[in-house]
């Protein structure tokens, strides 16, 4: 009978897996979808949209697991929690609120192992899943993917109700919905040397013309926006990239692009407050802090997990061990 | 248990304690300073425990704002989501049953009303709760009379900046409550006597007149306190005689003449009661040997004075036979013999003994072995007294203040010089106290209201008046002599007097004064607020309740100025 253990090692140990969403593979680029020929910075336009939703998610590895299978040997696993939610910016009321927060907890095991994960506590319900390989990075990727899917689902839900959504990270949206992906870092060079200098000339509140990234899975419109003119910065300081679904059509995408060029600088963070300024937008940074709190205290969760897993071993076959431990945890 | 109003929950991010806790308020409710709350906590093995408390501070914050500039991002730009959290700090006043455990975090906090309010204020445990003001919830606040009338404690001390602290107004309000609710005061209400000194203006000379500015709001407040908004029913007014008015004795008052009696002491009374000592009440007098001479002269006067036939109140000084003069002795004045009709006559007579004009040695029987310089100093003070309060001593029919005439005796000393004020206060206090000392009974109660206590019982120095006040503060409780003392700054008053006051009250205080140890009974938050108190708002502390109460008292139903006096008839009749 295989027994489950919570590793004493810090959950973050060995987590240095690059989960960058930016697709590294070079895709064909079309820079003539909006402006054909020479580019120059374009001014943003605030169309007084009343509501803007910023969607983001955060995740945390709660514990590392080992399933001690007497036959197959040890199987790695992780316990993790993630939360997704939105900051709804009511521009008319000049007020922002958190909304649609949801917390998910997962136990992921490698090698396709399936277990009944013990019930840890009332608010700590871990869903057991598995990945086919025994690659530790795949565990994390699976977990991360679940979070990205939850984010995308929330973005889609909000957008379907007509809300303009700014989602953290690249988009996975094919439908014609008002969703803009917001990418903080630049790992891929999309523009050629002829157009690259325009980036340096884009001022805060301006954007580049839209270009098309004709990716393997689906195509996206993209453009660069400068959030702030920071003194002493290089030409890419304060530049972020945005994405929108091509299904919108170029005109609608251009309207969204104008809107982001006007609105995003308003929500940019200050360098003296946030080291990731200005790219780490205030509503998103706040949302991340808020969601992190919703995950619960890490040390408390870790101890609860340890206790519940140990209990489940002691009382095998697993049946009625949960009640007592749950009350202890609280 | 009806009308329960939940206002919030006990904060859970910091420890609750038996001293205090915080309440996070519901979005649709509020708590203000001095509000009373109750929390019910289920204690394992003990059952429900109720924690009562009073709000000492109210606060608000944007939760989620980490930098001050976040305020703009939240409130102006609206890009930063945040939770507005309002909370209140509560000082625990009581735990019932007395099981000293902290309130549970997360428990619902209710506004204490009805019985719960009484419990929070310990009214259910008070022997005789007398309303002494109105709380912020417009309901009466109480003081336990057991701690005023001497049963468990006595005296009241009122402090505060002059002008805005309304010390005298509060003292009178308290007297009104005391005299108008005899059913609460109980046996002490019978023959209750109150002596009030009017030291400034003529504010207290209208206590028996209705106030024409009394409005409905004030009437409601008086109704809340269970007292009719009418002036004091039984008051007698006394004032010193006007100077240089010849043989006609007219009270020296500005605004009011009718109903005011002039008071004087006869030389006989002056000597009998040893009032000479109250001419030496300056704190510096005790440092030299003046009191020595004074004592000797006082004793001699007592032995030598003989009544004069046909001249009531006047005396002549004659060497007494062994055993002294019998009290019934009536002298027929010999020619050339000095008849003492006034203080001036007395001073002249003493001069002959102490500083003979022809340069002879002073009479040792009167002066003792005192240095010539001390004698001169003594005489200098007598001359000064003669010019300042000479008019208070005159022969004739007795015009001494009769405290039996009315429940409240108002003695107007506002027109007198400091020295004369101290003399009158000393004489009256001595009279009151000795009367009670002789009977040894606590009842009937005798209340003395004295403003500017720092003048009569200063922290530094010695004087017969200060000794008397300390004596009253220490022993008066058991003798039924109760001092309602007022002063701008308690730190300037003899500590014995302040410490013996069971009930302490302050109006607005100077910020520096509020930090002195004399006000240690106030909570830090109350101290901070003491410099902001509005006129008519007082902080009251009593032994029965561990936290001070903030109370307001209604606009007086009696006039405090001539302009406020309502006509006895209806002024607006026929208009």
């Amino acid at each position: 009978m295989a027994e489950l253990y919570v590793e004493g090692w810090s959950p973050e140990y060995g987590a240095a897996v690059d989960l960058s969403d930016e697709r590294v593979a070079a895709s064909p680029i079309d820079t003539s979808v909006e402006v054909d020929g020479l580019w120059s910075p374009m001014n943003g336009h605030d169309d007084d949209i009343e509501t803007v939703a910023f969607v983001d998610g955060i995740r945390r590895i709660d514990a590392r697991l080992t399933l001690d299978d007497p036959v197959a040997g040890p199987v790695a696993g992780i316990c993790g929690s993630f939360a997704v939610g939105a900051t709804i910016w009511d521009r008319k009321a000049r007020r922002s609120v958190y909304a649609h927060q949801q917390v998910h907890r997962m136990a992921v095991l490698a090698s396709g192992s399936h277990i009944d994960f013990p019930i840890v506590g009332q608010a700590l319900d871990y869903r057991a899943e598995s990945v086919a390989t025994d690659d530790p990075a795949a565990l994390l990727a699976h977990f991360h993917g679940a979070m990205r899917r939850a984010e995308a689902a929330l973005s889609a839900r909000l957008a379907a109700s007509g809300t303009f959504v700014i989602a953290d990270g690249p988009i996975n949206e094919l439908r014609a919905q008002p969703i803009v992906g917001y990418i903080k870092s630049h790992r891929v060079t999309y523009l050629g040397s002829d157009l690259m200098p325009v980036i340096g000339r884009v001022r805060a509140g301006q954007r580049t013309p839209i270009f098309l990234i004709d990716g393997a899975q689906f195509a996206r419109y993209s453009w660069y926006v400068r959030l702030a003119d920071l003194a002493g910065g290089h030409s890419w300081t304060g530049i972020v990239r945005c994405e929108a679904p091509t299904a919108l059509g170029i005109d609608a995408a251009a309207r969204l692009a104008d809107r982001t060029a006007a609105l995003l600088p308003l929500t940019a963070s200050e360098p003296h407050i946030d080291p990731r300024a200005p790219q780490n937008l205030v509503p998103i940074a706040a949302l991340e802090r808020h969601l992190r709190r919703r995950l619960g205290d890490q040390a408390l969760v870790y101890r609860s997990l340890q206790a519940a897993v140990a209990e489940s071993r002691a009382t095998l076959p697993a049946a009625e061990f949960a009640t007592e431990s749950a009350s202890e945890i609280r | 248990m009806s009308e329960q109003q939940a206002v919030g929950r006990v904060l859970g991010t910091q420890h609750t304690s038996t001293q205090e806790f915080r309440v996070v308020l519901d979005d649709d409710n509020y708590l203000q300073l001095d509000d009373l709350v109750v929390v019910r906590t289920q204690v394992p093995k003990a059952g429900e425990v109720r924690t009562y408390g009073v709000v000492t501070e109210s606060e608000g914050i944007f939760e989620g704002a980490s930098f001050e500039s976040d305020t703009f991002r939240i409130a102006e730009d609206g890009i930063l989501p945040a939770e507005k959290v309002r909370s209140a700090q509560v000082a625990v006043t009581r735990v019932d049953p007395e099981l000293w455990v902290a309130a549970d975090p997360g428990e619902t906090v209710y506004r204490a009303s009805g019985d719960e309010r009484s419990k929070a204020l310990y009214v259910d445990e008070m022997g005789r709760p007398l309303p002494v003001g109105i709380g912020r919830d417009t309901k009466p606040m109480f003081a336990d009379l057991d701690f005023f009338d001497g049963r468990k404690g006595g005296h009241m001390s009122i402090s505060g900046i002059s002008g805005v602290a309304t010390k005298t107004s509060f003292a009178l309000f308290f007297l009104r409550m005391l005299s108008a609710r005899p059913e609460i005061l109980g046996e002490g209400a019978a023959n209750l006597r109150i002596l009030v000194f009017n030291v400034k203006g003529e504010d207290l000379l209208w206590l028996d007149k209705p106030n024409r500015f009394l409005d409905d709001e004030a009437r409601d407040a008086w109704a809340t306190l269970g007292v009719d908004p009418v002036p004091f029913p039984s008051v007698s007014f006394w004032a010193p005689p006007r100077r240089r008015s010849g043989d006609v004795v007219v009270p020296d008052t500005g605004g009011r003449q009718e109903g005011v009696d002039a008071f004087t002491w006869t030389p006989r009374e002056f000597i009998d009661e040893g009032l000479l000592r109250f001419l030496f009440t300056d704190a510096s007098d005790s440092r030299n040997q003046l009191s020595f001479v004074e004592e000797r002269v006082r004793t001699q006067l007592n032995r030598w004075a003989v009544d004069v036939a046909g001249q009531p109140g006047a005396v002549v000084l004659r060497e007494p036979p062994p055993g002294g003069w019998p009290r019934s002795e009536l002298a027929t004045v010999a020619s050339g013999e000095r008849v003492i009709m006034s203080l001036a006559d007395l001073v002249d007579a003493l001069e002959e003994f102490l500083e003979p004009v022809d340069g002879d040695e002073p009479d040792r029987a009167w002066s003792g072995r005192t240095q010539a310089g001390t004698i001169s100093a003594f005489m200098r003070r007598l001359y000064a007294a003669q010019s300042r309060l000479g008019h208070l001593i005159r022969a004739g029919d007795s015009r001494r203040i009769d405290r039996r005439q009315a429940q409240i005796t108002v003695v107007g000393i506002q027109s007198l010089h400091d020295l004369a004020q101290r003399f009158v206060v000393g004489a009256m206090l001595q009279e009151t106290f000795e009367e009670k000392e002789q009977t040894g009974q606590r009842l009937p109660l005798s209340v003395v209201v004295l403003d500017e206590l720092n003048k009569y019982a200063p922290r530094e120095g010695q004087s017969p008046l200060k000794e008397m006040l300390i004596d009253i503060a220490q022993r008066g409780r058991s003798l039924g002599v109760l001092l309602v003392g007022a002063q701008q700054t308690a730190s300037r008053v003899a500590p014995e007097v302040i410490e013996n006051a069971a009930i302490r009250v302050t109006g607005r205080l100077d910020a520096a004064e509020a930090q002195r140890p004399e006000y240690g009974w106030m909570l830090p938050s109350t101290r901070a607020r003491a410099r902001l108190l509005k006129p008519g708002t007082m902080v009251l502390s009593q032994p029965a309740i561990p936290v001070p109460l903030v109370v307001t008292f209604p606009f007086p139903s009696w006039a405090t100025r001539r302009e406020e006096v309502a006509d006895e008839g209806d002024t607006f009749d026929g208009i």
Side-chain angles (χ1 to χ4, degrees):
Chain A
M1 185 68 201
E3 286 192 329
L4 189 62
Y5 291 85
V6 171
E7 291 291 346
W9 292 14
S10 159
E12 298 301 330
Y13 184 80
V17 180
D18 188 357
L19 289 172
S20 162
D21 295 291
E22 194 121 2
R23 286 148 192 84
V24 183
S27 305
I29 303 297
D30 180 354
T31 57
S32 65
V33 285
E34 191 181 16
V35 176
D36 199 2
L38 216 55
W39 279 12
S40 55
M42 304 174 79
N43 285 328
H45 171 66
D46 185 353
D47 55 357
D48 292 326
I49 179 98
E50 282 189 11
T51 312
V52 182
F54 296 85
V55 172
D56 195 10
I58 54 114
R59 60 185 167 79
R60 183 180 73 198
I61 307 295
D62 292 331
R64 305 196 81 82
L65 304 171
T66 300
L67 184 67
D68 189 0
D69 191 321
V71 185
V75 176
I78 54 169
C79 271
S81 305
F82 66 80
V84 298
T87 300
I88 311 284
W89 179 20
D90 184 340
R91 298 188 62 210
K92 213 166 159 194
R94 290 169 172 258
R95 193 159 176 262
S96 289
V97 292
Y98 301 116
H100 311 294
Q101 306 102 309
Q102 33 185 297
V103 176
H104 300 268
R105 302 188 193 274
M106 290 173 67
V108 190
L109 285 172
S111 310
S113 308
H114 281 277
I115 50 158
D116 288 331
F117 197 80
I119 297 167
V120 182
Q122 258 180 357
L124 295 172
D125 186 9
Y126 285 83
R127 189 170 76 234
E129 292 188 3
S130 66
V131 293
T133 71
D134 57 359
D135 176 10
L139 293 170
L140 211 51
H142 180 84
F143 177 53
H144 182 71
M147 180 188 78
R148 297 291 288 146
R149 281 193 298 280
E151 277 178 29
L154 176 57
S155 295
R157 231 171 74 213
L158 285 166
S161 66
T163 311
F164 173 52
V165 174
I166 295 174
D168 200 41
I171 56 165
N172 294 300
E173 182 58 62
L174 294 168
R175 286 165 291 176
Q177 290 194 324
I179 298 179
V180 169
Y182 176 81
I183 297 112
K184 293 192 273 280
S185 52
H186 311 287
R187 304 193 187 196
V188 180
T189 311
Y190 292 100
L191 301 181
S193 54
D194 53 335
L195 296 177
M196 197 66 92
V198 81
I199 298 281
R201 281 161 40 216
V202 170
R203 299 269 68 86
Q206 291 183 321
R207 64 174 176 96
T208 64
I210 295 175
F211 53 96
L212 178 78
I213 304 172
D214 202 358
Q217 290 172 300
F218 55 90
R220 292 155 284 153
Y221 285 132
S222 184
W223 63 94
Y224 290 99
V225 171
R226 190 182 296 277
L227 296 175
D229 295 312
L230 293 183
H234 53 75
S235 65
W236 283 78
T237 304
I239 292 283
V240 294
R241 191 170 64 80
C242 296
E243 291 184 351
T246 47
L248 286 168
I250 186 66
D251 291 341
R255 277 199 297 278
L256 291 191
D258 285 344
R259 190 186 286 167
T260 55
L263 293 191
L264 290 179
L266 300 180
T267 63
S269 49
E270 304 285 337
H272 63 278
I273 286 178
D274 192 332
R276 293 195 287 162
Q279 282 93 335
N280 203 24
L281 300 181
V282 169
I284 290 179
L287 178 63
E288 287 184 355
R289 273 199 307 274
H290 180 69
L291 292 176
R292 209 165 287 287
R293 205 162 58 230
R294 291 289 298 262
L295 293 186
D297 183 71
Q298 183 166 13
L300 201 65
V301 168
Y302 179 73
R303 280 200 298 277
S304 308
L305 270 170
Q306 261 189 326
V309 168
E311 181 111 354
S312 74
R313 280 199 307 274
T315 55
L316 279 175
E320 296 212 288
F321 50 75
T323 344
E324 204 180 334
S325 64
S327 63
E328 262 170 38
I329 289 152
R330 267 178 290 122
Chain B
M1 297 281 286
S2 59
E3 51 171 323
Q4 280 196 356
Q5 192 189 13
V7 289
R9 285 182 183 275
V10 177
L11 179 75
T13 52
Q14 70 188 37
H15 291 278
T16 61
S17 77
T18 54
Q19 308 283 309
E20 58 185 15
F21 58 85
R22 295 187 72 86
V23 186
V24 185
L25 295 170
D26 292 342
D27 279 344
D28 58 351
N29 225 317
Y30 75 96
L31 282 177
Q32 67 164 332
L33 294 188
D34 312 320
D35 276 350
L36 298 163
V37 296
V38 58
V39 181
R40 302 188 185 108
T41 300
Q42 291 298 329
V43 178
K45 292 193 174 122
E48 183 181 278
V49 166
R50 295 183 186 198
T51 309
Y52 298 91
V54 56
V55 175
T56 55
E57 193 52 278
S58 157
E59 287 165 344
I61 196 171
F62 275 134
E63 205 173 69
S66 11
F67 295 91
E68 296 182 7
S69 57
D70 281 349
T71 310
F72 289 98
R73 291 182 191 95
I74 293 163
E76 194 167 302
D77 310 333
I79 56 170
L80 182 64
E83 194 86 25
K84 183 168 72 183
V85 181
R86 295 168 311 130
S87 58
Q89 183 80 32
V90 173
V92 175
T93 56
R94 184 175 186 180
V95 185
D96 181 54
E98 201 163 281
L99 186 75
W100 285 95
V101 293
D104 269 355
E107 277 300 335
T108 309
V109 178
Y110 298 93
R111 214 177 265 285
S113 53
D115 287 351
E116 306 247 277
R117 181 181 185 276
S118 302
K119 283 210 154 190
L121 294 173
Y122 288 82
V123 180
D124 61 321
E125 289 198 344
M126 286 184 184
R128 289 170 299 152
L130 177 76
V132 285
I134 295 173
R136 281 193 200 277
D137 55 1
T138 70
K139 298 197 173 66
M141 300 289 245
F142 298 88
D144 192 352
L145 276 186
D146 282 0
F147 286 99
F148 177 73
D149 76 356
R151 289 198 199 181
K152 296 178 184 164
H155 313 303
M156 174 185 278
S157 167
I158 309 173
S159 308
I161 299 179
S162 141
V164 284
T166 51
K167 301 184 292 284
T168 315
S169 309
F170 181 79
L172 285 165
F173 160 73
F174 176 72
L175 295 182
R176 179 76 189 120
M177 294 309 300
L178 198 64
S179 57
R181 300 293 298 269
E183 80 281 7
I184 299 175
L185 184 54
E187 83 246 6
N191 294 320
L192 170 71
R193 286 289 171 264
I194 300 170
L195 176 63
V196 183
F197 293 97
N198 182 71
V199 279
K200 273 175 297 187
E202 295 188 349
D203 309 359
L204 306 187
L205 294 187
W206 313 98
L207 294 183
D208 58 341
K209 305 286 184 197
N211 192 320
R212 58 191 281 205
F213 296 115
L214 187 76
D215 56 11
D216 287 341
E217 194 188 331
R219 280 193 191 91
D220 288 347
W222 282 105
T224 304
L225 298 168
V227 171
D228 281 342
V230 294
F232 285 91
S234 170
V235 193
S236 67
F237 299 95
W238 299 83
R242 188 161 291 172
R243 291 160 183 259
R244 288 177 288 278
S245 58
D247 286 340
V248 193
V249 181
V250 187
D252 186 11
T253 50
R256 179 173 185 176
Q257 297 279 325
E258 55 86 25
V260 183
D261 288 316
F263 66 86
T264 56
W265 282 271
T266 62
R268 179 81 245 181
E269 287 161 346
F270 181 88
I271 291 169
D272 281 354
E273 284 160 38
L275 299 187
L276 183 68
R277 58 201 285 239
F278 294 116
L279 298 182
F280 298 86
T281 49
D282 197 278
S284 65
D285 292 348
S286 63
R287 265 176 260 142
N288 39 49
Q289 292 200 296
L290 280 180
S291 52
F292 241 18
V293 187
E294 181 271 317
E295 215 178 306
R296 189 165 194 107
V297 170
R298 179 151 42 95
T299 318
Q300 284 293 82
L301 280 176
N302 238 326
R303 294 177 59 218
W304 283 48
V306 182
D307 285 343
V308 179
Q311 300 258 34
V315 292
V316 289
L317 298 181
R318 286 183 181 172
E319 176 126 32
W325 291 108
R327 196 58 219 256
S328 55
E329 181 78 15
L330 266 186
T332 313
V333 183
S335 78
E337 191 175 30
R338 186 190 303 278
V339 180
I340 297 173
M341 304 280 290
S342 64
L343 189 59
D345 296 337
L346 184 68
V347 173
D348 287 346
L350 291 178
E351 191 177 3
E352 279 171 24
F353 293 116
L354 297 171
E355 280 190 321
V357 274
D358 47 12
D360 283 356
E361 283 293 297
D363 187 335
R364 278 291 165 84
W366 288 78
S367 70
R369 297 177 178 280
T370 322
Q371 304 269 334
T374 308
I375 299 289
S376 317
F378 178 82
M379 286 312 296
R380 271 203 309 280
R381 277 170 177 69
L382 278 188
Y383 297 137
Q386 179 195 326
S387 72
R388 280 162 187 163
L389 55 90
H391 58 304
L392 297 183
I393 316 292
R394 62 191 295 160
D397 292 329
S398 177
R399 288 176 173 277
R400 57 184 308 158
I401 295 167
D402 181 5
R403 288 182 297 112
R404 287 161 307 176
Q405 268 187 23
Q407 186 173 53
I408 300 187
T409 304
V410 177
V411 181
I413 52 173
Q414 69 282 352
S415 63
L416 294 174
H417 181 269
D418 259 11
L419 178 67
Q421 289 191 348
R422 287 198 298 264
F423 173 78
V424 175
V425 170
M428 292 307 296
L429 287 180
Q430 173 177 274
E431 181 189 308
T432 309
F433 200 47
E434 279 183 350
E435 196 177 279
K436 300 291 289 181
E437 267 183 319
Q438 277 157 20
T439 65
Q441 304 280 317
R442 195 171 64 84
L443 298 174
L445 295 177
S446 199
V447 178
V448 180
V449 182
L450 186 55
D451 198 357
E452 300 192 11
L453 207 51
N454 48 316
K455 237 161 74 180
Y456 305 106
R459 189 181 189 91
E460 311 294 339
Q462 289 298 323
S463 82
L465 191 48
K466 178 180 174 180
E467 278 163 32
M468 169 151 300
L469 281 163
I470 290 177
D471 207 16
I472 290 179
Q474 290 172 339
R475 293 195 299 135
R477 187 192 136 190
S478 52
L479 290 171
V481 180
L482 304 165
L483 183 65
V484 175
Q487 59 276 325
Q488 280 202 48
T489 50
S491 57
R492 297 279 185 81
V493 177
E496 297 93 328
V497 175
I498 299 291
E499 283 157 12
N500 276 294
I503 298 181
R504 298 181 193 183
V505 183
T506 68
R508 186 186 295 184
L509 285 179
D510 179 74
E513 174 73 8
Q515 298 309 316
R516 292 182 185 274
E518 281 81 3
Y519 305 93
W521 50 270
M522 285 200 264
L523 298 173
S525 57
T526 325
R527 278 193 192 206
R529 198 146 48 102
R531 67 195 164 86
L532 305 174
L533 291 177
K534 289 199 300 181
T537 304
M538 310 299 274
V539 184
L540 184 139
S541 142
Q542 54 185 322
I545 309 185
V547 293
L549 305 176
V550 178
V551 301
T552 57
F553 58 94
F555 188 77
S557 51
W558 54 90
T560 62
R561 292 193 307 272
R562 187 192 188 90
E563 306 82 72
E564 286 180 354
V565 176
D567 279 345
E568 309 283 328
D570 189 351
T571 326
F572 302 103
D573 220 10
I575 294 182

